[in-house]
Amino acid sequence: MKQTIAPVRPAHTAREARYDLRGPLAERAADLQTRGHDIIDLHLGDPAAHGLNAPDTVLRAAAEGLHRAAAYSDERGLPAAREAIADHYRQAGLVHATADRVFLGNGVSELASLSLQALLDPGDTLLVPAPGYPLWPACATLTGATAVPYLCREDTAWAPDPAELAARTGSRTRAIVVINPGNPTGAHWPPAVLESIVDLARRHHLMLLSDEIYAELCYPGTTHVPLAALAPDVPCLTFGGLSKFCRLPGYRAGWAVASGPRSATADYLQALTLLAGLRMCPNVPAQHAIPTALSPDVLASTRRATAPGGTLTLCRDALHSALTLHPGVRCARPDGAFYTFPRLPLPPAVDDKAFTRHLLERHHVLATPGAQFDAPGSTHIRLSALAPPETLDIAAQRIHQALGEFAAAEAPSAGEQDG
Ligand code: PLP
């Protein structure tokens, strides 16, 4: 008799974890594209996919390194890459950064997972910003811990309220995740807010996990200082990588830089080293690009892109001004990263998911519902401002048209008004 095979049951934690960024909407967009439709893709934050190429010098460094990349590296990564990263952070104000406390990984994504596995036990809690990037809560959930959202408030340009953050800190809280500049909001939090987060961590013996993958992408008027530079006495991991500022997300080259008292971080870093060793080492070819990527010339080319009149500044401004031509659209102008996070005037029966579906099907614009970032109220969408300004302008017009269609469907008909 043929035996029936029972379905394989995924782990409870894997069923609980949420990460929808590559979900059905993106699949539908790909499907429409294969059927010949032109889709304006404002979905993922992938500069390379929008033709924003990495500097040639970085590509050459990676190509030359390929011949020396066949063997495993140290579990933390190549010494030359770790030295370059430590040097970069020393110059940024993290004066005690040293290569022995730098860990390389296959993007910040892998390091988020490793750093939380090394930190959290089931039942622990991790404070995460909301709206925020879903990687962090998903990785926390996979450890059996609970991600506790703290609210970033639209009326304070998406900065959190330190008092609310303090109120969410409990006896099992182990760490605070900060994402600065933020995804999806593009907000850069003011120094006073960062100081109070550091103070909270200090008082409650929490670790700081500062995701600063957009640190090099700050627009005019915004200066970035690593959170760890404000917290030399607090255990901290600062995350960065080549995906965004160097436009090389496919290289999967990210890092975590540990700081804080050595006596307080030694055991944790030993656990992290063990986990880093379990995956043998990070992707070696990409590591050869890191010293060049952090060289003054390459950093200056990124600064040009975010300076007044620079490519990314023009994109940000084009999208923000086109969107806010609609009187009902509310949208803080982003300080950093390359996202815009407008609140839309949607009728009560229409949420962000329904709107983005309609926008894709009818207007061929792919945007991301705010719900995927734990946004309040279901009326936000995230748009990445990486396409040329003319395309962003067209996308904004289509968003306005879609809003008009929903508003017209909602408006009472003439007959109803008379009655
Ligand atoms: N952290 C944030 C805030 C991000 O927005 C992203 C990607 O969009 C990542 C981490 C992932 O970075 P990586 O490509 O280095 O894994």
Side-chain angles (χ1 to χ4, degrees), residues 106-109 133 135 179 183 211 213-214 243-244 252 339:
N106 299 325
V108 169
S109 306
Y133 186 57
L135 166 74
I179 306 177
N183 178 5
D211 182 343
I213 187 124
Y214 300 104
S243 294
K244 310 297 178 177
R252 309 311 299 128
Y339 307 106

Side-chain angles (χ1 to χ4, degrees), residues 180-329:
N180 198 38
N183 178 5
T185 61
H188 193 273
W189 295 346
V193 169
L194 297 173
E195 292 283 5
S196 34
I197 292 175
V198 168
D199 191 47
L200 184 71
R202 189 178 284 130
R203 283 186 284 117
H204 290 268
H205 305 285
L206 307 179
M207 191 165 184
L208 290 168
L209 300 172
S210 194
D211 182 343
E212 301 183 17
I213 187 124
Y214 300 104
E216 313 302 327
L217 296 169
C218 288
Y219 296 107
T222 302
T223 306
H224 183 80
V225 175
L227 182 70
L230 309 176
D233 56 332
V234 178
C236 182
L237 284 179
T238 305
F239 297 84
L242 301 191
S243 294
K244 310 297 178 177
F245 87 88
C246 210
R247 287 92 75 195
L248 286 170
Y251 274 36
R252 309 311 299 128
W255 53 77
V257 180
S259 56
R262 283 187 181 261
S263 54
T265 53
D267 290 350
Y268 173 73
L269 293 185
Q270 200 179 350
L272 188 57
T273 306
L274 175 103
L275 290 172
L278 288 181
R279 48 98 214 233
M280 301 311 286
C281 67
N283 172 32
V284 178
Q287 297 182 48
H288 287 285
I290 290 175
T292 309
L294 293 174
S295 66
D297 283 357
V298 171
L299 292 171
S301 81
T302 300
R303 272 197 298 278
R304 281 196 293 280
T306 52
T311 327
L312 290 176
T313 311
L314 291 176
C315 291
R316 174 201 65 162
D317 291 345
L319 185 58
H320 182 262
S321 21
L323 278 173
T324 49
L325 284 177
H326 189 296
V329 173

